[in-house]
Amino acid sequence: MSSFQGSKINPTRFHKSQIKFFLFLVALAVFMIMPIVFMFSQSLKPINELFLYPPRFFVDNPSLKNFYDLINVTNVTVIPMTRFLFNSIVVTGAVVFLSVMISAMAGFALSKMKFKSKGIIFEANIIALMFVPASVAIPRYLIVDRLGLTDNMLGHIIPLLAMPVGLFLIKQFVDQIPNDLIEAAAMDGAGHFMVFRKVIIPVVMPALATVAILAFQTAWNNTETSEIYMNAETLRTFAFYMTTLTGNLENKVAGQGIAAAAALIMFVPNLIIFIIMQSRVLDTMAHSGLK
């Protein structure tokens, strides 16, 4: 056991006693990655392999024809695919940045600052976790319409900024920070914003990364705002365009390959952002210094 060189939870060297854990984790990883492999395989299948029976998991003759067909279909439309993609990138970037900042500042205020009705506000946030989006679709539409945000890019962004789960998660992280640390910073002349930027942000980075992942997935995959709030085609997002693409094709059979390619395009950004932010979460948790 001396080869562990440290705690048994996080060894720095390989030991034969770890083999059983590696075998289990490898088997679990293979099982978990199978849907991702199937999605890539499906998007590369030519039309004759898509309808084989019994279906095949792996593609025999990989081809990029589905992606070429997707590009060719979008090139003949009035509004190019790049417009929808641009809308999604702008909306997703704004939602991720603003939702993370709003959740972080609200979590800091509800945890460490003293003001009236603080408990009521947090309880309202807890109650908001109980409601599914479909249950508030009508009142949300009425609010967006009253604010004049229909057929406006802000109609994509503002309804997605409220993240009760993000606020709850960040507040729980901020609660772990000792009050003495904040008081010491205040005695050194730091104001609320300086304490938030220098003390709170580095500690709650794992929670911020989690909120960023949730916000990205919500905004990137969102079709509700395009369906309900946007009448102008030029203001709709890439996710909405992908869901309606195959339905507008005359050849429904050939459209299945295009649908597989579109599904992969929608999935890859989620995979990339998760891998990037997950590494950030693990690194920050290892060096945060707070348990």
Side-chain angles (χ1 to χ4, degrees):
M1 289 295 183
S2 60
S3 61
F4 273 101
Q5 297 295 323
S7 68
K8 297 179 182 179
I9 297 177
N10 189 25
T12 57
R13 294 185 182 180
F14 177 77
H15 189 269
K16 62 181 180 180
S17 63
Q18 296 173 281
I19 294 178
K20 56 181 179 293
F21 300 108
F22 277 111
L23 293 176
F24 173 76
L25 291 175
V26 168
L28 182 62
V30 171
F31 177 77
M32 296 296 292
I33 205 173
M34 285 176 63
I36 300 176
V37 174
F38 177 77
M39 184 175 293
F40 278 89
S41 176
Q42 193 77 352
S43 66
L44 297 175
K45 287 181 180 179
I47 192 66
N48 60 322
E49 291 189 36
L50 283 170
F51 294 95
L52 281 179
Y53 185 83
R56 296 176 182 175
F57 189 87
F58 296 102
V59 57
D60 289 336
N61 301 300
S63 171
L64 296 176
K65 186 177 183 303
N66 293 329
F67 296 94
Y68 292 140
D69 291 342
L70 174 61
I71 295 174
N72 291 333
V73 167
T74 56
N75 283 339
V76 299
T77 57
V78 177
I79 303 172
M81 182 180 67
T82 52
R83 176 62 188 183
F84 299 102
L85 187 59
F86 173 78
N87 292 342
S88 285
I89 293 174
V90 171
V91 169
T92 302
V95 169
V96 171
F97 176 77
L98 293 176
S99 60
V100 168
M101 292 305 299
I102 291 172
S103 298
M105 290 187 290
F108 169 56
L110 290 175
S111 177
K112 298 302 181 182
M113 299 180 68
K114 297 180 180 180
F115 55 91
K116 293 182 178 181
S117 305
K118 181 174 76 172
I120 296 176
I121 295 175
F122 184 67
E123 290 298 328
N125 183 78
I126 298 297
I127 295 174
L129 293 171
M130 301 170 56
F131 294 94
V132 296
S135 65
V136 295
I138 295 177
R140 181 181 293 179
Y141 172 79
L142 295 176
I143 294 174
V144 171
D145 185 55
R146 289 288 184 88
L147 292 175
L149 298 180
T150 55
D151 283 334
N152 189 313
M153 287 294 287
L154 292 177
H156 286 297
I157 299 172
I158 293 179
L160 301 180
L161 294 183
M163 293 189 62
V165 64
L167 173 58
F168 175 80
L169 181 62
I170 292 177
K171 181 185 179 300
Q172 298 306 110
F173 267 73
V174 177
D175 286 344
Q176 301 176 15
I177 301 176
N179 293 328
D180 295 341
L181 186 62
I182 297 176
E183 292 173 0
M187 291 179 63
D188 290 337
H192 291 308
F193 182 76
M194 183 64 68
V195 171
F196 173 74
R197 188 166 64 91
K198 295 292 187 180
V199 179
I200 303 300
I201 291 296
V203 174
V204 302
M205 198 64 72
L208 296 182
T210 303
V211 174
I213 293 173
L214 296 175
F216 180 89
Q217 292 178 339
T218 300
W220 180 256
N221 300 319
N222 176 58
T223 60
E224 178 186 349
T225 54
S226 295
E227 293 174 352
I228 301 176
Y229 310 139
M230 304 299 154
N231 296 315
E233 290 289 334
T234 55
L235 294 177
R236 290 177 169 172
T237 59
F238 188 67
F240 175 82
Y241 180 69
M242 290 293 102
T243 60
T244 60
L245 179 61
T246 55
N248 296 330
L249 297 177
E250 295 181 2
N251 190 340
K252 304 297 182 181
V253 175
Q256 299 307 311
I258 297 177
L264 182 64
I265 293 175
M266 287 298 302
F267 170 75
V268 167
N270 288 281
L271 179 63
I272 293 174
I273 194 68
F274 178 78
I275 292 174
I276 294 174
M277 300 307 293
Q278 183 190 43
S279 63
R280 178 61 177 168
V281 168
L282 294 176
D283 180 69
T284 307
M285 291 180 66
H287 296 89
S288 63
L290 291 176
K291 305 296 182 184

